Amino acid sequence: MASIKVDGEVFEGNGRIDDIMHSLGRHPDAFIYIMEGVPVPSDTEVGDGEKVDAVRVASGG
């Protein structure tokens, strides 16, 4: 399983990052995803041993 760190908690799952985030009740567009120091899109497939950091973003006007 891949590990996704969200708001200081680590969750596990395989598949697309956005699908995993939906299953956690999180809105995927509210985060930037980092794998090995490189930003990746939310439709990235993740699997065994991979680690993702989900960094919350904010915007406003």
Side-chain angles (χ1 to χ4, degrees), residues 2-13 16-34 46 51-57:
S3 298
I4 300 180
K5 186 175 181 181
V6 182
D7 296 330
E9 294 184 67
V10 177
F11 302 92
E12 293 188 344
R16 287 172 42 137
I17 295 171
D18 53 3
D19 291 337
I20 296 168
M21 293 298 284
H22 275 297
S23 73
L24 298 173
R26 309 290 169 95
H27 195 280
D29 291 340
F31 297 88
I32 293 175
Y33 304 99
I34 310 293
V46 294
K51 295 181 182 182
V52 179
D53 286 314
V55 180
R56 188 176 296 275
V57 295

Side-chain angles (χ1 to χ4, degrees), residues 1 3 11 14 30-31 33 39-40 42-43 46-48 50 52 58:
M1 291 264 174
S3 298
F11 302 92
N14 286 334
F31 297 88
Y33 304 99
V40 296
S42 64
D43 63 354
V46 294
D48 293 341
E50 293 182 303
V52 179

